[in-house]
Amino acid sequence: MHPIDRIPNLCLTVVLSVLFGLCLIPSSPAEYAADPAAQLIERGHRGALSDTDWIEALQAKDPLICEAALSLALRGGEREVFLPTAKDMASLTPEVRTRLISVLGMRGNAAALPAIRPSLQADHAAERIAAVRTLGELKDTASKGRLIELAVSEDPAAEAAREALSRIPGSDIDETLRVLFVNGPETRRIRALKTLVLRGCRTVVPTLLSSEWMEGEARISAAAEALAALGTDREFGEILEYALGLPGSSGKDLQDPLARIILTSADPHALLDTLKNRIAREDVETRISYIGFLSRAQCEATIELLAEYARGDHPDLAQRAVRTLAAWDDTGSVDLLFELADSSDAVLRRSSLEALSILVNRRKIRNGAWINRINEALAEETRAESRAADSPGHTEAANPADDREPSEADAGTWVPLFNGENLDGWHALPGGTWFVLDGQIIGIGTHESKSHALLISDKRYRDFHLRVEFMSVLGNSGLYFRTERVDHPVAVKGFQAEICPAGFPVGGLYETLGRAWVAHSDREEVNAVFKKYDWNVMEVRAVGGDIQVVLNGKKVCEVKDDPGLPEGYIGLQLHGNADLDVRFRTIEIMEIPQS
């Protein structure tokens, strides 16, 4: 099972385990007689429950009795959990049936498959999803036809069906999916492709690398995702040609598989030589873009190529190489940045120092002597620039876009908003599930939740510098700030910085119950530094109407003199009507005094 899929089951385990523990703490024997749930727990541990007792408990109107029965089913007693029949399952409510299916799956009870299969046709979406996941975990080949049907459909269980099929062996499954991949409506072909990718079926690669497939945004995006999983050194050159030849920004989607192939290659130097020689024929903007994408292909060979660009005679390429190095915290990249910071080239020296400063601010450099050296060098650069600006005959030129992190000289102290142990200082609004595990705040939501689920700070903030580490696994989320509670299904209004698993539009500024999108993040900058299914650092600096969003050290969005709310709560969001999994760990804020 993929670790991500364990989270909903983990939530169920935690809830049932807590209940199970509570049910075993009556203060006197008399309480057993007055507490049917406690009686059920006690009988279960003696192995004294019949199948009829199990079903009656699961059918009980008293929720505590039903919860106690589910807890026993999960933990077991002296006797293995009963095996329900299809008739037994039909007698339960959809909610109880859904949870029982998950319990049977966690216990790996293959003998219960006949009772679970009818739930693939259930009206209740959560029940269908639970059945799909359990049947996948138990590798139920008898359900493959229905699972394929769901996998290529628009059903809420489609993604779970694709994951389930990735676990079930059978060449006939591959053949059926290949037929669906090459024929029929485009959306169905793309879903079939996603399923084949999860099954590791490389026979689709030649079709993907064809002019027929490389047309249209949806197909190119699907091809990029597939080639990132299935592509090898053999396809690198062909993928690169398509990436460079596609119009507009379409080819940038194919940078992901290129990066993935470099990372997994036995000879990354050869691939990077191919890349360097090929992009040398392109214009400067294209070369800058492909130097930036190397932030997703961090290895020793890539550092060597970036060093070559940084020491080269083209200033724009050199600066882009330095900024790419700032996205990493590898010892080799830090050593290289220190070397470049001693360059006689003023622009390269300044860019390298700023890159090192970003790593300090992200707490990737902790050596005190190094930090002092960086700060002193930056201060000297600033003094030198001031002296030059004050010199006779100096004419001020337009400043280039400032890509640096917000200054640490804002004044104030970093204050943690999350203690790593519990949700003290926060309160949850209805919808979704928030809990703390292994020093992380984990948010889980389902598509059946019609409203946003929000975790809101107890305190309000006005001007501040906010820093958050997040990992977006599934679905749309956001970092709210200057937010107010309102009587509306969405529950709040105000700004959020976008969070999602795909990269762009992460960091874009959206005003809920207001102007909608106020400012989009920079697609190229976001995709150059965003780490999929990994920890990312987002920073929001809000002072008056000026708001800046920084992602992994790169400024990706900014508004000036914005008329939005001047203060409000900080919030973490689970979007409504979607299956979600998002995690947060470091959350800290530095309040900025009003001038």
Side-chain angles (χ1 to χ4, degrees):
M1 176 187 276
H2 193 285
I4 295 167
D5 292 333
R6 298 182 190 274
I7 296 299
N9 289 344
L10 176 61
C11 297
L12 175 64
T13 304
V14 171
V15 171
L16 295 180
S17 299
V18 170
L19 172 69
F20 179 77
L22 293 174
C23 288
L24 289 176
I25 318 177
S27 58
S28 69
E31 289 194 19
Y32 277 111
D35 188 343
Q39 290 179 10
L40 186 71
I41 292 284
E42 190 271 337
R43 290 175 60 205
H45 271 263
R46 287 192 291 106
L49 291 179
S50 67
D51 287 358
T52 302
D53 294 330
W54 282 101
I55 287 297
E56 288 179 351
L58 291 168
Q59 293 171 337
K61 293 183 179 179
D62 185 339
L64 286 179
I65 294 176
C66 182
E67 294 286 352
L70 286 166
S71 178
L72 279 170
L74 178 64
R75 286 173 169 262
E78 294 178 7
R79 173 182 186 279
E80 283 295 314
V81 63
F82 82 110
L83 290 177
T85 65
K87 183 178 179 181
D88 292 333
M89 297 290 276
S91 71
L92 305 176
T93 65
E95 291 77 12
V96 173
R97 195 161 53 238
T98 298
R99 295 175 67 186
L100 181 57
I101 288 169
S102 296
V103 167
L104 294 170
M106 281 187 277
R107 290 182 63 94
N109 204 329
L113 286 172
I116 297 172
R117 289 175 188 136
S119 291
L120 289 175
Q121 309 290 344
D123 294 333
H124 196 59
E127 181 182 345
R128 289 198 305 280
I129 292 171
V132 165
R133 286 176 173 162
T134 297
L135 293 170
E137 289 163 8
L138 300 178
K139 300 181 180 179
D140 182 34
T141 56
S143 300
K144 59 191 176 186
R146 174 58 175 158
L147 290 174
I148 291 173
E149 180 185 333
L150 288 170
V152 299
S153 72
E154 296 181 359
D155 192 281
E159 186 171 350
R162 291 192 281 271
E163 289 286 346
L165 286 167
S166 71
R167 302 184 181 98
I168 299 174
S171 58
D172 56 332
I173 296 176
D174 292 337
E175 186 57 39
T176 301
L177 288 167
R178 279 196 293 268
V179 170
L180 294 171
F181 168 56
V182 298
N183 296 289
E186 180 171 292
T187 53
R188 191 178 71 183
R189 294 180 68 183
I190 290 174
R191 295 185 191 113
L193 171 62
K194 290 181 177 181
T195 314
L196 287 164
V197 169
L198 289 172
R199 292 178 62 80
C201 186
R202 271 187 48 83
T203 57
V204 301
V205 171
T207 303
L208 296 175
L209 292 172
S210 66
S211 57
E212 182 270 336
W213 186 268
M214 287 293 183
E215 291 182 358
E217 185 175 341
R219 287 192 183 187
I220 293 170
S221 177
E225 184 178 339
L227 291 168
L230 303 175
T232 66
D233 292 28
R234 293 197 301 272
E235 290 86 35
F236 185 85
E238 199 170 353
I239 296 171
L240 178 59
E241 287 299 330
Y242 269 113
L244 291 168
L246 290 170
S249 61
S250 300
K252 290 182 180 178
D253 286 339
L254 293 174
Q255 291 178 350
D256 272 341
L258 293 172
R260 177 68 177 170
I261 293 171
I262 292 169
L263 286 173
T264 56
S265 173
D267 188 8
H269 287 91
L271 299 182
L272 290 168
D273 282 344
T274 299
L275 175 72
K276 179 183 70 173
N277 294 332
R278 178 60 186 85
I279 65 174
R281 307 200 300 265
E282 301 293 325
D283 58 33
V284 172
E285 288 301 315
T286 300
R287 280 183 279 166
I288 287 174
S289 171
Y290 278 78
I291 292 171
F293 108 88
L294 290 174
S295 64
R296 289 171 263 172
Q298 181 177 355
C299 65
E300 183 178 343
T302 310
I303 292 175
E304 292 173 9
L305 179 58
L306 290 172
E308 182 179 333
Y309 280 118
R311 298 188 183 104
D313 56 5
H314 198 296
D316 291 339
L317 301 184
Q319 286 200 51
R320 186 55 172 150
V322 168
R323 290 173 184 170
T324 302
L325 289 165
W328 300 345
D329 54 4
D330 176 87
T331 301
S333 62
V334 172
D335 289 344
L336 176 58
L337 286 171
F338 270 116
E339 179 186 331
L340 297 173
D342 289 331
S343 169
S344 59
D345 184 296
V347 175
L348 180 58
R349 183 173 63 248
R350 177 76 190 202
S351 297
S352 301
L353 286 170
E354 289 173 354
L356 288 166
S357 179
I358 288 172
L359 291 173
V360 170
N361 291 336
R362 289 170 55 207
R363 300 185 177 181
K364 299 301 183 181
I365 295 178
R366 297 177 180 270
N367 183 296
W370 287 5
I371 293 172
N372 289 337
R373 176 184 167 189
I374 294 165
N375 289 338
E376 288 170 4
L378 277 171
E380 178 55 36
E381 287 289 319
T382 301
R383 287 192 292 270
E385 290 171 1
S386 296
R387 289 193 295 270
D390 293 338
S391 62
H394 172 76
T395 302
E396 185 172 349
N399 291 323
D402 183 6
D403 286 329
R404 287 179 294 161
E405 266 190 299
S407 171
E408 296 295 324
D410 288 330
T413 303
W414 286 106
V415 176
L417 297 185
F418 170 48
N419 61 21
E421 298 178 358
N422 54 48
L423 296 178
D424 288 354
W426 299 82
H427 57 278
L429 303 186
T433 300
W434 297 96
F435 59 96
V436 176
L437 182 69
D438 294 334
Q440 303 171 27
I441 295 177
I442 298 178
I444 301 293
T446 71
H447 62 277
E448 294 181 333
S449 177
K450 301 306 178 187
S451 62
H452 292 351
L454 295 153
L455 191 65
I456 300 293
S457 65
D458 291 343
K459 184 179 175 182
R460 297 165 61 86
Y461 298 91
R462 189 175 184 89
D463 292 343
F464 55 81
H465 183 173
L466 176 66
R467 178 187 290 153
V468 174
E469 272 190 293
F470 72 91
M471 176 163 50
S472 179
V473 177
L474 178 66
N476 179 278
S477 179
L479 174 62
Y480 273 98
F481 59 94
R482 290 181 173 174
T483 298
E484 295 286 0
R485 294 190 59 175
V486 293
D487 184 15
H488 186 277
V490 176
V492 296
K493 69 175 182 178
F495 261 129
Q496 66 160 305
E498 181 76 6
I499 291 175
C500 70
F504 178 82
V506 169
L509 291 169
Y510 185 95
E511 188 178 52
T512 300
L513 297 184
R515 294 165 288 169
W517 283 109
V518 175
H520 285 287
S521 55
D522 184 291
R523 181 189 294 269
E524 179 179 334
E525 300 291 7
V526 169
N527 291 339
V529 299
F530 182 75
K531 295 178 283 187
K532 290 185 177 180
Y533 308 117
D534 200 352
W535 291 103
N536 293 271
V537 179
M538 179 180 286
E539 300 182 58
V540 175
R541 186 176 186 273
V543 180
D546 296 345
I547 300 170
Q548 186 180 98
V549 181
V550 170
L551 179 67
N552 293 334
K554 173 67 65 176
K555 183 174 71 178
V556 295
C557 191
E558 185 172 29
V559 294
K560 297 281 191 180
D561 299 320
D562 188 84
L565 293 173
E567 67 175 280
Y569 300 101
I570 307 296
L572 312 178
Q573 180 214 45
L574 297 173
H575 201 283
N577 299 295
D579 294 323
L580 292 116
D581 180 345
V582 63
R583 297 99 184 275
F584 301 88
R585 52 185 189 191
T586 303
I587 306 176
E588 55 189 0
I589 195 166
M590 178 191 293
E591 294 191 74
I592 300 173
Q594 292 179 262
S595 57

